[in-house]
Amino acid sequence: MQAMVLNRPGQPLEWTERPDPEPGPGELRLRVEACAVCRTDLHVVDGELPLPKLPLVPGHEIVGIVDRVGEGVAQAWLGQRAGVAWLGHTCGHCPYCRGGQENLCDTPVFTGHGRDGGFATHVLAEAAFCLPLLLPLEPVRMAPLLCAGLIGWRARRLAGEDIRTLGLYGFGAAAHLIAQVATHEGLRVFAFTRRGDVTAQAFARELGCVWAGDSDSPAPQALDAAIIFAPVGALVPLALQAVRKGGRVVCGGIHMSDIPAFAYRLLWEERQLMSVANLTRADAAEFLAVAARVPLRIETTSYPLREANRALADLREGRLVGAAVLVP
């Protein structure tokens, strides 16, 4: 197999050949067809997240064909298309797992972080955390659904079910998907982008957003809720200022720069500030069902696996519309 390997945080990934991996008990092996590039991969590669293992193959938005199964895994998996997402293992017995909050497991393992991920030709995964993919979509278009879509869906649910107006701060892979779901639900969606990013703003309007502008511009009307996808702490007080009394701001990333001090009046009047942590397998099942009935425009830019560093650089510098996807 071949893989793009992180040997040291802050350094470029290195093209590496390895023996083909063999699945252990409860595992299966996928021949990777596509793996989307997530902002979390940037945080991993840039050393902004502590890493439990090195060397490491990043990547956790994986679509592939099961070509081998380990002991205890049903043979019916063989030849099936499956997805592998960020949550790769949970303990199953901590209070959070027992209480239906496996995303908060005390001892989780994350794909492309605690175990090797999908920037490779093959990947191993626990069968219990793999997702059967039955959508009639090409693998490149399905890959962003497995994190951008899932985190966007969880963030949308936490934003509240009784809302009518929703602001999205940062209009990348996750926002461009959940904006379409929200507009399909009948919400008025407002897109906030980095200053002067007229390309992203035009794209947001194409996808049904009623307004798109700079993130430091005031919202045209009070928002019921806002989701922050950009990893920029300075957006928190701006989003709090934009939501109405009793409104909610959801931070949708795993990492964010420090939040600056802000006046208590921005939080007062029962505004809420919360974060999204990881996802659950139930989130995945719900969102894939939504994706099957909502006609999503999934914008992607494909890169050969060897060009993973270029894909990461394009994401880091904001040169992408939609999602980057690596293809072995």
Side-chain angles (χ1 to χ4, degrees), residues 123-262:
V123 65
L124 299 179
E126 289 190 23
F129 288 83
C130 291
L131 308 169
L133 295 178
L134 305 176
L135 297 173
L137 297 173
E138 298 175 354
V140 166
R141 294 185 64 217
M142 273 195 286
L145 301 180
L146 294 169
C147 186
L150 298 185
I151 284 295
W153 174 248
R154 187 172 181 87
R156 162 66 191 94
R157 287 174 55 232
L158 291 179
E161 297 304 319
D162 58 347
I163 64 174
R164 294 293 178 266
T165 56
L166 176 67
L168 301 178
Y169 285 79
F171 205 80
H176 99 281
L177 294 173
I178 206 60
Q180 296 175 73
V181 173
T183 56
H184 185 81
E185 295 174 332
L187 274 61
R188 289 170 55 82
V189 181
F190 299 77
F192 298 81
T193 75
R194 67 178 66 190
R195 173 175 286 278
D197 193 346
V198 295
T199 300
Q201 292 167 14
F203 183 46
R205 288 189 288 268
E206 286 178 22
L207 296 181
C209 294
V210 297
W211 178 89
D214 296 343
S215 59
D216 56 358
S217 298
Q221 67 180 88
L223 305 174
D224 293 327
I227 302 172
I228 301 176
F229 290 114
V232 181
L235 293 175
V236 170
L238 293 174
L240 284 170
Q241 189 170 0
V243 298
R244 60 166 172 79
K245 291 183 285 187
R248 183 176 294 176
V249 174
V250 181
C251 299
I254 194 171
H255 174 82
M256 179 180 276
S257 60
D258 289 346
I259 300 171
F262 57 86

